[in-house]
Each structure stands twice: as structure tokens, then as C-alpha cells.
Amino acid sequence: MCGIAGVMNHDPSRPVDPEVLLAMAAIQSHRGPDGCGMKVMDDRGVGFGHARLAIIDLNPERGRQPFLSADRQVMIAHNGEFYDYQRIRADLTSRGYRFQTKSDTELLIHLSDRFGLEGAMPHLRGDFAFAMYERSSDRMTLVRDRFGVKPLFWTMTPEGLVFGSEIKVLFAHPAVQRRISSEGLYHQLMQLMVPGTTAFEGIHAVLPGQMVIVDRRDGRLHVRTQMYWDLNFPRLEERETLEDEYYIEELRRYFINAIQLKLEADVPVACYLSGGIDSCSILGIAAACRQAPIKTFTIGFDDQDYDETAIAREMAEAVGADQDVISIRGGQLYEQFARTIWHTERSIYNTFTISKLLLSEHVHKAGFRVVLTGEGSDELFAGYPQLRLDMIRHGMKDATPEERADLEAWLQASNRIFQGNLLAANPIDDPALADVVGFTPSSLQSWLTAAASVPPLLHPDHRAKTQNYSPGSAVAATLDRAQLEGRHALDKAQYVWIKTQFESQVLGWAGDRVDMANSMEARPPFLDHHLAEFAVTLPPLMRFRNRRDKYVLREAMRGVLPETLYNRQKFAFMAPPAHTDRLKQAAMLNLANEYLSESAIASAGLLDAQAVAQILQQHSDSNTSNSDRTRLDAIINHLLSVQMMHQQFVAADLPKLGRDRARELGWKAEPVLVSV
């Protein structure tokens, strides 16, 4: 687990500045505090930098990246883990390939030598992002894992390609412009991102399952993209329904195998533990795989509607885990807001991502670097209420209108605290999304509802530039029609969520970004792609049946789950909104006084000061309903976020910040010069 950085110049004779590579590596030292490495091909205008977090092969020299092939033709910088590497390593060794290290990264060199890079991809099992430069073809390829667990960004400057694990890494390069775009700002204020985009002008995200291929011809770099994997739900006519026991047994087998692989590390592995069946199932199996008690870490809130520690304690006691509970007080979250934005690099609507940052900090201080997490289960097994709502509204063709109405009323009532947040108060229809999907997915409706409040909040210049902008159309244009046509409504709902909010929100600002802020590698077993490829074959009723979400997982894990948890409906992990806590609301308003003052708004040039003042006034009005306050809490969080983003990423001198950080660490620009 690490941070990677690099450049490829248009002109191969243009030298790579080692000091720039150093600044790019140092500014992400939180991702890799264990050392810095860099290699430069000066005759090709290519350079890689790397900040290392040692998880596999702890030898500081042997595991140092970037990696070179023995013939010095291929150079790699890798972030993340390739699982099942021991079996693959043994197979390659038996075929005559010689390994110089114990690092899983070296697999990529030998697999691509044997199969070519595209042919190697099916063999790579894990959470990763990497860059590979091939001298023979003068080609750079940026690759991101299948679900987007690990981040990777790129941009093109007048000098050439710049890439890195985080946006701030690109901004540490002096040739990269730092400007929030009008469309990016629009989306920051409504939470829903367009896949592949960021808040910043010209800064792109490599999509999950995508290869960004950069070829140099006639002194210029040419970019093309290629998907190497997608979540391929079967078409309706291809679906078959087998006995329940088949799906339960197969899921159990895939799940146990995924956990066994993700327990492999040269350092201790712990578990995040909430009150949900996802993390509890992981702990139950992980505890069975280990001789010693598993260490678990749980977040506790002082609001009973959101606190899950009682169930988490029951699970920890059931398997003999060593549990550590970190209690979060209301105002504490807003004290860490600006620090969190530095790591998320995008707006947040709820402070649970801040609680995750505090949790990962606590885990790091406890001496752990690797944790197993439950992300992906809700996506694969329809755990979220938004997904179940689409199943009720669009996927239950045999149900009567009365039966659907009864189920929807039950779902809305049992998820009332998420009204105005995860669930839209009123259904809406976006024509562009309905055209591609067949309906407007419920998972996007609350954010599309929020879009109506965005234009008045924009500075007049940005408002003018987005006058005819349709966020729904922008998102719809990125969706693959071929993966949606002819699919069940629940499959469509899950696919859209996975391609939008799951990647940018759940795995991004609530996952990797706040875990790696504290040098913590989070491993989600549910996102093992072998398990996922089985999960898409599950009939809809194996995911949601008899008012039970994640039906097949509950049945597969019934032996390890406490009865209370087995019978409990899924609830999203959220922090209490600001209005539910007097201290938290006061802390939020203190930040508003600093970041949303007239002078601060005028300096950034992003927002309309009068409209912001009206939002703050409405939030404090005693006549405002709780559901409206929940919605306003999210809007204010977005407003604070974009102001902080301007201060941290646009107004600040990030190239200097990177250089200063390198000096603090004692890192020096001492690249290995690669020649043939």
C-alpha cells in the first residue's frame, strides 16, 4: 500500500526534474511513510516516484519501488495489493521466471512478460492502481482495480502527462493548473459526481476497471481508454434460478476464500466492526481462520439512533475478539473537518467520513496498518434502502399495486432518519437517466433533488457558465447502455450505484482517502472479483426477500451471526446530522463564521454570499422541519467543503508544500537513472 506519482513528457529529450518527483511523493507521505523511491528514464522523458507503506516484504531495499524488469525495458509503480500472489509466484517460478524480491508487485512484471499487460489483468486479484511504462512501445498505461478501491488521477499539461494517487500529487507539479471548474463546483454542491471527473479543471480520475493508455507519436502524447473488466449482470433471458442452497453454499465458499486471501500480510491484520452483518460476517470468518483473537475497532456515537456499539459488542464477545471502541462526541467531528477535506479532495455531506478518519487514526496509534472492512456487501446484495426501493417500484412485476405500496410504506418508515439524505422526500424523474436506465435510480434521486438548490448558491460567473447544465444528463452519458439493456430493475439499480456513488463516495472519501490519511490499508473482502462475478448471478429474490435485505448473505452467515443481527434490517452507517446535537451545531456554525463569511466567499469567488446567508438563516429558523434541517446540514457541509478546497488546493502553493514536506522527512531527490 503506497502512493505513486509520475510524469511522461511530450518531448522524450526533455529531462525529468527529480525535485518535482520528490515533491509529488512527499506530499502524499501519509500514504507511504516508510520511504521514498524514484527512477528516471532521461532518454525517454519518463520518471516515477513512490512513497512506501510496507505491508508485504518489509525489507526496505528489496521492496523499494519503482520496479524495473531485468532487461530494464519495463518500469512499474504500484499502489495496493495483488492477492493470491504466493500461488501465482509458485506457478511462475515453476515456469522458469526468477523473482528478485518477495513483493507482490513483481508479479506484474513477469505476468505481463508472459501474457502481455492486457492478458495479465485476469490474473491480478486485488485492490490496486499502477502505472507501467514499456520502453519498446514507448507507452505508458495507468490501471485501476475493478471497483476503484484504490484512487488514481491524471492530467495533461503543456509539458506532458502527470499522474498520481491523489489530486494533491498532481498539484505538487508546477505545470499543473489548480482551478475548480464550474461543473465540478456544481457537483460538489449536490454530492453526486460524474464518473471520471473531479472538482478541478482538467483533472481526471481513472475509472474502475479501466486502462488509460498513453502513446507517444510525432513528439506528442495521445490518450485512449479501454475497459478491461465490468460488472456484467446477466440479461433476463440468460438468468436461471437454481435451488436456494446452491447460492448459499457457493457464496459461503467464495466469501471464505476472499477473507483467507485478505488476511495475508507481513504485519498484523485487524477488523473494522460495526453493528451490520457485513463487518460481523467478516469478523466471524476471520476469527475462525486465526488461532489468536482478532483485534476489532468500533465507532460509537452519543446518539442512540445512530450508535451500533451494542450489537458490535455482542458480535465481538461471540467470537472472542479483542474489541476497542472509540467514542465520538458531537463537536469533535467539525474540529477535524478541514483536515478531512485535505484528504478527501472533494465535498462531504455527512460527517461520518470524519469519524472514519478518527477511527483510522486510532487504529494506527494502536499499532495496526491493515484492517478488513465490509464495503461492497450492500452493493452486491442490495443492502441500501435506495436499492430495495427500486426493487419494490420497478422489479416486482408480479406484486399488486397494494402490495408494492405496503412494502414501500414499510421501507420509508423504517428508514425515516435518512429522509432528505439517502432517500428523496419525493420521487423525481430525470429524462436522461430514465432513457438510459429505464427509470431514475432512487440512489441518485436525493442528490438530483439537491441540484435544484445549487444554481442560486453559485457565484454569478459560475452560474452563467452552468446555466443550461444538466447533471443527470452528464452522469447518464457515462453509463454503458450495453450493461443496462435487458437487465432486471434491481441489477440496473445496483450497477448505477456502483458506477457512481459507490466509487466516488463509499470507496473514496469514506474509504481509502480517510484510511490512508493515517497510513491504514483497508481491505474489503466482498470486492474480491471472483466473489463479485458470482454475486451478479444471484436472482433478485436471493438479495431481497420477505422484507429481508441481503437475504443470501444472512443465510450463508447465519451460523456466525447473533440472532439479533440476523433479524435486523440494514441501516446505513451515518453520523448524526449537525442539527441533532447542540454542540455539533455550534461547531458547524463556528466553521461557517470562518469559511462562509462575506470576505471568505468573495476571496474564493465560488459562491453567492447572499444565498449562503439565506441557507444559514433557514437552518437556524425554529420553524424548519427536521427533514429540511437534514437536507440543509448536507448543503452547509458542501458549502464549507468547497471553501476549504479553494483554500487548500487553489490558494495554497502545493509545489512548495511538497518540497517542504520532503525536507521535514529527510527525503532527498536521488533518483535511479535507468538506461539500457
Side-chain angles (χ1 to χ4, degrees):
M1 188 59 61
C2 314
I4 66 175
V7 299
M8 181 180 185
N9 293 326
H10 290 295
D11 181 357
S13 66
R14 183 187 181 98
V16 174
D17 186 345
E19 294 290 343
V20 171
L21 284 180
L22 180 66
M24 294 170 69
I27 205 168
Q28 60 179 328
S29 59
H30 51 278
R31 297 190 71 89
D34 295 330
C36 172
M38 61 180 71
K39 288 185 172 67
V40 170
M41 292 185 175
D42 258 351
D43 63 329
R44 294 302 175 98
V46 171
F48 285 0
H50 187 265
R52 187 185 187 212
L53 177 65
I55 301 294
I56 302 292
D57 193 352
L58 305 185
N59 184 294
E61 294 303 320
R62 197 171 55 210
R64 185 183 295 274
Q65 291 195 49
F67 269 45
L68 277 175
S69 60
D71 60 5
R72 305 172 78 82
Q73 290 288 316
V74 177
M75 186 162 68
I76 296 169
H78 168 220
N79 167 33
E81 306 291 353
F82 298 136
Y83 302 111
D84 203 19
Y85 70 95
Q86 293 167 328
R87 180 191 63 80
I88 299 173
R89 178 190 177 93
D91 179 75
L92 288 168
T93 300
S94 73
R95 298 175 187 276
Y97 289 91
R98 295 292 174 258
F99 286 78
Q100 304 303 311
T101 75
K102 296 292 185 180
S103 172
D104 57 314
T105 302
E106 195 175 354
L107 287 179
L108 184 55
I109 290 176
H110 299 308
L111 284 172
S112 60
D113 177 66
R114 184 180 179 202
F115 299 109
L117 179 55
E118 187 175 348
M121 295 311 301
H123 299 271
L124 297 177
R125 185 175 185 175
D127 316 317
F128 53 80
F130 65 82
M132 173 184 283
Y133 175 74
E134 299 167 277
R135 180 185 284 269
S136 60
S137 58
D138 199 15
R139 173 177 296 165
M140 178 82 75
T141 308
L142 308 178
V143 184
R144 194 172 177 201
D145 66 64
R146 294 167 177 85
F147 286 96
V149 177
K150 297 293 111 189
L152 188 56
F153 300 93
W154 66 276
T155 191
M156 196 66 72
T157 75
E159 295 177 8
L161 176 76
V162 180
F163 68 86
S165 293
E166 298 187 3
I167 296 172
K168 63 179 68 68
V169 177
L170 279 59
F171 286 165
H173 192 297
V176 177
Q177 66 174 355
R178 304 193 305 277
R179 184 168 62 245
I180 295 176
S181 70
S182 296
E183 292 81 5
L185 174 61
Y186 197 112
H187 282 273
Q188 295 302 303
L189 294 176
M190 63 175 288
Q191 186 65 28
L192 176 63
M193 297 288 290
V194 177
T197 72
T198 70
F200 301 96
E201 193 79 47
I203 308 297
H204 310 280
V206 179
L207 289 171
Q210 186 183 68
M211 307 169 75
V212 175
I213 303 164
V214 185
D215 294 295
R216 185 161 42 199
R217 300 189 301 274
D218 303 320
R220 300 296 298 174
L221 299 179
H222 302 268
V223 180
R224 56 190 172 93
T225 61
Q226 176 180 322
M227 296 297 294
Y228 69 86
W229 188 88
D230 205 350
L231 197 64
N232 188 23
F233 284 94
R235 299 177 68 90
L236 287 171
E237 65 269 18
E238 299 169 344
R239 278 204 170 276
E240 57 179 349
T241 301
L242 305 175
E243 295 295 326
D244 285 6
E245 196 59 28
Y246 164 77
Y247 297 110
I248 293 167
E249 287 296 328
E250 283 296 282
L251 174 58
R252 185 181 292 124
R253 180 172 66 85
Y254 280 110
F255 186 49
I256 291 172
N257 181 245
I259 291 175
Q260 287 176 319
L261 290 175
K262 299 213 172 187
L263 285 170
E264 292 179 0
D266 294 336
V267 296
V269 179
C271 290
Y272 283 157
L273 179 63
S274 70
I277 69 170
D278 312 326
S279 62
C280 289
S281 296
I282 290 170
L283 173 60
I285 300 303
C289 292
R290 289 294 173 95
Q291 299 298 321
I294 293 282
K295 183 73 176 181
T296 68
F297 296 89
T298 300
I299 297 173
F301 294 118
D302 52 9
D303 185 321
Q304 292 304 307
D305 284 341
Y306 295 85
D307 185 66
E308 297 183 340
T309 55
I311 296 177
R313 282 195 178 98
E314 184 179 350
M315 183 67 200
E317 291 172 1
V319 299
D322 178 10
Q323 187 182 30
D324 191 345
V325 178
I326 174 175
S327 296
I328 305 292
R329 55 180 173 82
Q332 186 180 7
L333 295 174
Y334 279 91
E335 293 168 6
Q336 301 292 326
F337 202 115
R339 175 188 169 203
T340 303
I341 295 300
W342 170 252
H343 290 290
T344 64
E345 300 177 333
R346 58 156 294 177
S347 66
I348 62 175
Y349 74 93
N350 182 273
T351 53
F352 74 82
T353 188
I354 305 176
S355 68
K356 280 287 298 293
L357 181 139
L358 293 173
L359 176 65
S360 69
E361 181 178 60
H362 182 83
V363 175
H364 178 82
K365 289 178 179 177
F368 288 85
R369 292 186 168 198
V370 181
V371 289
L372 301 188
T373 69
E375 285 88 356
S377 173
D378 292 313
E379 285 66 29
L380 295 176
F381 307 118
Y384 289 122
Q386 313 96 297
L387 302 177
R388 286 176 274 153
L389 186 56
D390 285 337
M391 172 69 166
I392 294 167
R393 287 177 175 172
H394 308 289
M396 302 180 70
K397 301 300 185 183
D398 296 332
T400 66
E402 292 76 18
E403 289 171 333
R404 284 198 294 270
D406 180 58
L407 275 172
E408 182 169 342
W410 158 78
L411 184 71
Q412 298 281 5
S414 58
N415 289 276
R416 64 189 182 283
I417 64 173
F418 303 122
Q419 288 291 340
N421 198 321
L422 297 182
L423 292 171
N426 299 296
I428 67 167
D429 181 58
D430 185 276
L433 284 164
D435 177 60
V436 175
V437 183
F439 54 90
T440 302
S442 298
S443 62
L444 306 186
Q445 288 192 28
S446 59
W447 311 120
L448 291 170
T449 299
S453 65
V454 169
L457 295 170
L458 298 174
H459 184 281
D461 291 345
H462 289 293
R463 192 183 307 143
K465 291 178 181 177
T466 56
Q467 185 174 4
N468 298 314
Y469 183 68
S470 168
S473 296
V475 172
T478 69
L479 299 175
D480 186 348
R481 285 180 180 268
Q483 291 289 1
L484 291 162
E485 291 173 348
R487 269 65 174 193
H488 189 275
L490 184 58
D491 298 342
K492 294 179 179 183
Q494 290 178 217
Y495 184 85
V496 172
W497 170 261
I498 288 169
K499 292 299 178 179
T500 55
Q501 294 293 72
F502 181 55
E503 180 268 333
S504 67
Q505 176 180 304
V506 179
L507 295 179
W509 63 254
D512 171 90
R513 312 309 289 280
V514 290
D515 288 316
M516 289 302 290
N518 295 297
S519 308
M520 284 296 308
E521 175 180 299
R523 298 179 172 182
F526 284 107
L527 296 182
D528 177 84
H529 76 277
H530 292 263
L531 188 157
E533 288 170 353
F534 166 73
V536 299
T537 69
L538 291 168
L541 286 177
M542 291 302 293
R543 289 169 263 167
F544 179 47
R545 180 188 296 185
N546 299 331
R547 305 194 181 192
R548 285 185 182 273
D549 58 272
K550 295 185 278 196
Y551 174 80
V552 65
L553 180 63
R554 289 177 189 274
E555 297 305 312
M557 293 294 107
R558 187 166 189 172
V560 302
L561 296 175
E563 192 69 18
T564 304
L565 184 55
Y566 170 78
N567 289 311
R568 181 176 182 251
Q569 185 186 166
K570 157 71 186 184
F571 291 98
F573 174 64
M574 301 275 283
H579 75 268
T580 64
D581 182 322
R582 180 176 56 82
L583 293 177
K584 192 173 184 181
Q585 184 167 342
M588 181 184 75
L589 293 177
N590 283 338
L591 285 183
N593 290 335
E594 178 181 355
Y595 289 97
L596 300 178
S597 66
E598 284 193 30
S599 60
I601 289 174
S603 176
L606 300 175
L607 304 173
D608 184 295
Q610 184 176 353
V612 171
Q614 290 173 351
I615 290 291
L616 295 172
Q617 177 59 43
Q618 186 181 356
H619 186 273
S620 62
D621 191 330
S622 60
N623 294 321
T624 301
S625 68
N626 283 338
S627 62
D628 281 343
R629 275 208 181 88
T630 297
R631 178 180 59 84
L632 292 169
D633 281 337
I635 292 174
I636 294 171
N637 286 339
H638 291 152
L639 296 171
L640 290 170
S641 297
V642 297
Q643 288 291 102
M644 292 173 182
M645 289 165 62
H646 172 82
Q647 182 186 82
Q648 295 178 349
F649 303 115
V650 178
D653 186 344
L654 270 69
K656 180 179 183 300
L657 187 62
R659 295 192 300 270
D660 291 346
R661 182 61 179 147
R663 281 194 293 271
E664 292 171 10
L665 294 165
W667 291 1
K668 296 181 180 179
E670 299 174 335
V672 174
L673 298 178
V674 180
S675 58
V676 177

